Amino acid sequence: MPNFDFKRFHIRSMNAGSDEERALINQELKDLYASLGEEDKKIFNEELQHFLTKEVSRIKSDYESINGLDRPN
C-alpha cells in the first residue's frame, strides 16, 4: 500500500522562491499522480484528502489559539 509524502511537497511549495518554482513542484505532484495505476490513484486521493483535512484542522487550531490571545478572559 503506497504512502505518499504530501508534507514534503507542501513544505517545498511553502519554501519555493518563486511562483515558477511552486508551479514546478505542483507539476511534479501532478506527474506523480498521472503515473499511477487506478488503485494507487484511489489511495493517493484518500491520503491527500486525509493530509488536507489534517492541515486545515491544524491551521484552524493555530488561528484560534492566536486569535484567543487578543481576547482577555
Side-chain angles (χ1 to χ4, degrees), residues 5-13 25 28 32 51:
D5 190 359
F6 295 110
K7 186 172 186 170
R8 180 176 59 91
F9 285 100
H10 179 62
I11 290 171
R12 285 177 53 213
S13 182
I25 294 165
E28 184 182 334
L32 170 61
F51 173 78

Side-chain angles (χ1 to χ4, degrees), residues 48-64:
L48 178 59
Q49 183 69 30
H50 176 75
F51 173 78
L52 292 174
T53 301
K54 188 171 92 175
E55 283 301 299
V56 168
S57 176
R58 184 190 58 78
I59 291 167
K60 180 178 184 277
S61 176
D62 290 351
Y63 173 79
E64 289 172 348

